Amino acid sequence: IQFFFKKKIIKKVNGYKIGFDFGINKFIATSDREEFGSGYKQLLEKILRKKQYSNEWYRCKEEIKEFIDYHIKNLPYDKYGLVVIERLNNIHQKMRLKRRLSKNIRRFVSKWNIGYAYKRLIANCNLNRVHYRIVSSYNNSITCPLCSYADKRNRKSQEDFCCQKCSYSDNADFT
Protein backbone atom coordinates (compact mmCIF):
# COMPACT_ATOMS: atom_id res chain seq x y z
CA ILE A 1 0.00 0.00 0.00
CA GLN A 2 1.33 3.41 -0.94
CA PHE A 3 0.00 6.73 0.23
CA PHE A 4 0.74 10.01 -1.49
CA PHE A 5 0.05 13.40 0.00
CA LYS A 6 0.12 16.73 -1.76
CA LYS A 7 0.58 19.85 0.25
CA LYS A 8 0.51 23.27 -1.30
CA ILE A 9 3.24 25.46 0.13
CA ILE A 10 2.68 29.18 0.05
CA LYS A 11 5.96 31.03 -0.34
CA LYS A 12 6.72 34.21 1.57
CA VAL A 13 6.06 37.53 -0.08
CA ASN A 14 7.92 39.70 2.40
CA GLY A 15 11.67 39.76 2.90
CA TYR A 16 14.39 41.06 0.68
CA LYS A 17 16.38 39.76 -2.25
CA ILE A 18 19.84 38.41 -1.66
CA GLY A 19 22.49 36.89 -3.88
CA PHE A 20 24.68 33.97 -2.86
CA ASP A 21 28.12 33.24 -4.27
CA PHE A 22 29.62 29.84 -3.53
CA GLY A 23 33.39 29.65 -3.35
CA ILE A 24 36.38 27.86 -1.91
CA ASN A 25 37.91 30.54 0.33
CA LYS A 26 34.50 31.81 1.47
CA PHE A 27 31.97 29.01 1.26
CA ILE A 28 29.05 31.44 0.91
CA ALA A 29 29.44 35.16 0.31
CA THR A 30 26.23 37.17 0.14
CA SER A 31 25.43 40.38 -1.69
CA ASP A 32 24.99 41.97 1.77
CA ARG A 33 28.71 41.40 2.46
CA GLU A 34 28.11 38.53 4.87
CA GLU A 35 30.25 35.40 4.87
CA PHE A 36 29.19 31.94 5.97
CA GLY A 37 31.36 28.85 6.31
CA SER A 38 34.92 29.89 7.00
CA GLY A 39 37.15 26.84 7.13
CA TYR A 40 35.88 25.19 3.95
CA LYS A 41 39.26 25.46 2.23
CA GLN A 42 40.92 23.64 5.14
CA LEU A 43 38.51 20.72 4.68
CA LEU A 44 39.34 20.58 0.98
CA GLU A 45 43.06 20.62 1.84
CA LYS A 46 42.44 17.81 4.31
CA ILE A 47 40.75 15.56 1.73
CA LEU A 48 43.59 16.19 -0.73
CA ARG A 49 46.03 14.73 1.81
CA LYS A 50 44.04 11.48 2.11
CA LYS A 51 44.56 8.48 -0.10
CA GLN A 52 41.61 8.32 -2.47
CA TYR A 53 38.90 5.76 -1.60
CA SER A 54 40.44 4.95 1.79
CA ASN A 55 38.35 4.91 4.97
CA GLU A 56 39.83 8.28 6.00
CA TRP A 57 38.95 9.74 2.60
CA TYR A 58 35.30 8.65 2.98
CA ARG A 59 35.19 10.09 6.52
CA CYS A 60 36.54 13.38 5.24
CA LYS A 61 33.92 13.46 2.47
CA GLU A 62 31.23 12.98 5.11
CA GLU A 63 32.78 15.76 7.18
CA ILE A 64 32.57 18.09 4.17
CA LYS A 65 28.90 17.17 3.63
CA GLU A 66 28.16 17.81 7.31
CA PHE A 67 29.92 21.19 7.02
CA ILE A 68 27.78 22.10 4.00
CA ASP A 69 24.59 20.91 5.71
CA TYR A 70 25.34 22.84 8.90
CA HIS A 71 26.11 26.16 7.24
CA ILE A 72 23.26 26.04 4.74
CA LYS A 73 20.76 24.99 7.40
CA ASN A 74 21.81 27.86 9.69
CA LEU A 75 21.34 30.66 7.15
CA PRO A 76 18.82 33.31 8.32
CA TYR A 77 16.00 32.30 5.95
CA ASP A 78 13.43 34.31 7.91
CA LYS A 79 14.97 37.55 6.55
CA TYR A 80 14.98 36.44 2.89
CA GLY A 81 12.18 36.67 0.37
CA LEU A 82 14.21 35.70 -2.69
CA VAL A 83 17.56 33.92 -2.91
CA VAL A 84 19.48 34.27 -6.18
CA ILE A 85 22.32 31.86 -6.98
CA GLU A 86 24.61 31.54 -9.96
CA ARG A 87 24.44 28.42 -12.12
CA LEU A 88 27.89 26.84 -12.17
CA ASN A 89 27.21 23.88 -14.46
CA ASN A 90 30.11 21.87 -15.84
CA ILE A 91 32.69 23.84 -13.90
CA HIS A 92 34.94 20.79 -13.70
CA GLN A 93 35.00 20.31 -17.49
CA LYS A 94 35.39 24.03 -18.25
CA MET A 95 38.42 24.43 -16.02
CA ARG A 96 40.21 21.58 -17.79
CA LEU A 97 39.41 22.81 -21.28
CA LYS A 98 40.49 26.40 -20.84
CA ARG A 99 43.62 25.66 -18.77
CA ARG A 100 43.21 29.07 -17.21
CA LEU A 101 43.54 27.87 -13.63
CA SER A 102 46.72 26.66 -12.03
CA LYS A 103 47.11 22.99 -11.19
CA ASN A 104 46.79 23.71 -7.48
CA ILE A 105 43.45 25.51 -7.92
CA ARG A 106 42.19 22.73 -10.24
CA ARG A 107 42.92 20.23 -7.44
CA PHE A 108 40.69 22.21 -5.07
CA VAL A 109 37.88 22.64 -7.57
CA SER A 110 37.92 18.92 -8.33
CA LYS A 111 37.00 18.24 -4.69
CA TRP A 112 34.50 21.12 -4.54
CA ASN A 113 31.05 19.67 -3.89
CA ILE A 114 28.97 22.43 -5.51
CA GLY A 115 26.14 20.18 -6.72
CA TYR A 116 25.46 18.94 -3.21
CA ALA A 117 25.50 22.51 -1.87
CA TYR A 118 22.94 23.59 -4.51
CA LYS A 119 20.63 20.70 -3.65
CA ARG A 120 20.80 21.48 0.07
CA LEU A 121 20.21 25.21 -0.47
CA ILE A 122 17.19 24.61 -2.72
CA ALA A 123 15.74 22.07 -0.28
CA ASN A 124 16.15 24.51 2.63
CA CYS A 125 14.63 27.36 0.61
CA ASN A 126 11.58 25.18 -0.08
CA LEU A 127 11.39 24.10 3.55
CA ASN A 128 11.52 27.71 4.79
CA ARG A 129 9.11 28.97 2.06
CA VAL A 130 11.71 31.19 0.40
CA HIS A 131 11.69 31.79 -3.36
CA TYR A 132 14.92 30.99 -5.16
CA ARG A 133 16.18 31.76 -8.62
CA ILE A 134 19.15 30.32 -10.48
CA VAL A 135 20.72 32.74 -12.96
CA SER A 136 23.19 32.17 -15.76
CA SER A 137 26.85 32.68 -14.94
CA TYR A 138 27.52 34.40 -18.27
CA ASN A 139 29.56 37.59 -17.63
CA ASN A 140 28.59 37.69 -13.93
CA SER A 141 32.13 37.90 -12.67
CA ILE A 142 33.15 40.72 -15.02
CA THR A 143 30.03 42.94 -14.90
CA CYS A 144 30.02 46.02 -12.68
CA PRO A 145 27.04 46.09 -10.24
CA LEU A 146 26.80 49.90 -10.46
CA CYS A 147 27.10 50.78 -14.14
CA SER A 148 26.59 47.28 -15.69
CA TYR A 149 29.77 47.61 -17.76
CA ALA A 150 31.20 44.19 -18.68
CA ASP A 151 34.89 43.82 -19.51
CA LYS A 152 37.49 41.12 -18.86
CA ARG A 153 39.83 43.74 -17.43
CA ASN A 154 37.32 44.46 -14.61
CA ARG A 155 38.45 41.32 -12.84
CA LYS A 156 42.00 42.08 -11.74
CA SER A 157 42.49 38.77 -9.94
CA GLN A 158 40.43 36.04 -8.30
CA GLU A 159 39.81 38.32 -5.30
CA ASP A 160 39.82 41.84 -6.77
CA PHE A 161 37.23 43.61 -8.93
CA CYS A 162 37.79 47.10 -10.36
CA CYS A 163 35.47 48.58 -13.01
CA GLN A 164 37.30 50.17 -15.93
CA LYS A 165 34.45 52.60 -16.62
CA CYS A 166 33.29 53.96 -13.24
CA SER A 167 36.29 52.91 -11.07
CA TYR A 168 34.13 50.94 -8.62
CA SER A 169 36.30 48.43 -6.75
CA ASP A 170 35.48 45.74 -4.23
CA ASN A 171 36.15 42.14 -3.32
CA ALA A 172 35.04 39.99 -6.27
CA ASP A 173 32.96 37.70 -4.03
CA PHE A 174 30.61 40.53 -3.05
CA THR A 175 29.98 41.99 -6.51
Side-chain angles (χ1 to χ4, degrees):
I1 297 176
Q2 290 183 343
F3 294 101
F4 294 96
F5 297 96
K6 273 189 168 181
K7 184 178 179 183
K8 186 168 182 158
I9 298 174
I10 300 170
K11 303 267 182 161
K12 288 191 277 187
V13 180
N14 58 350
Y16 63 93
K17 300 174 190 169
I18 190 160
F20 284 167
D21 181 30
F22 288 98
I24 292 174
N25 291 329
K26 300 172 187 130
F27 178 59
I28 298 175
T30 68
S31 56
D32 288 346
R33 306 186 67 75
E34 292 179 297
E35 298 175 16
F36 298 99
S38 61
Y40 188 57
K41 187 174 182 177
Q42 286 79 17
L43 287 174
L44 293 177
E45 288 172 349
K46 182 178 175 182
I47 198 168
L48 288 173
R49 290 191 302 265
K50 307 296 179 193
K51 183 178 178 188
Q52 200 164 7
Y53 305 116
S54 66
N55 288 337
E56 286 295 317
W57 185 79
Y58 283 114
R59 276 190 222 121
C60 193
K61 281 187 70 88
E62 280 302 313
E63 187 178 351
I64 290 172
K65 285 184 177 182
E66 288 172 7
F67 178 89
I68 292 170
D69 287 339
Y70 175 79
H71 287 287
I72 288 181
K73 184 179 179 184
N74 291 323
L75 290 171
Y77 292 102
D78 54 336
K79 297 190 306 185
Y80 307 145
L82 173 68
V83 172
V84 180
I85 52 178
E86 181 181 28
R87 178 178 288 132
L88 295 174
N89 289 352
N90 299 327
I91 193 161
H92 300 289
Q93 287 82 11
K94 288 180 184 176
M95 73 174 180
R96 256 192 355 250
L97 292 175
K98 293 183 180 178
R99 295 281 183 202
R100 61 189 179 132
L101 300 175
S102 69
K103 185 176 182 180
N104 194 27
I105 297 295
R106 287 197 312 262
R107 288 178 61 218
F108 278 113
V109 174
S110 68
K111 301 302 179 199
W112 193 25
N113 207 343
I114 191 69
Y116 183 75
Y118 278 167
K119 287 177 190 174
R120 298 304 305 149
L121 181 65
I122 291 169
N124 278 300
C125 282
N126 287 332
L127 185 66
N128 291 298
R129 302 178 342 201
V130 175
H131 292 279
Y132 65 90
R133 184 172 300 146
I134 302 173
V135 297
S136 172
S137 62
Y138 181 72
N139 279 349
N140 276 354
S141 63
I142 60 171
T143 304
C144 179
L146 296 181
C147 66
S148 300
Y149 178 70
D151 191 355
K152 285 183 185 179
R153 295 175 295 169
N154 285 350
R155 193 75 181 258
K156 297 287 186 188
S157 67
Q158 186 66 26
E159 292 286 323
D160 300 323
F161 180 90
C162 183
C163 182
Q164 300 296 312
K165 187 175 182 183
C166 69
S167 300
Y168 169 79
S169 65
D170 198 3
N171 187 318
D173 289 332
F174 300 124
T175 57

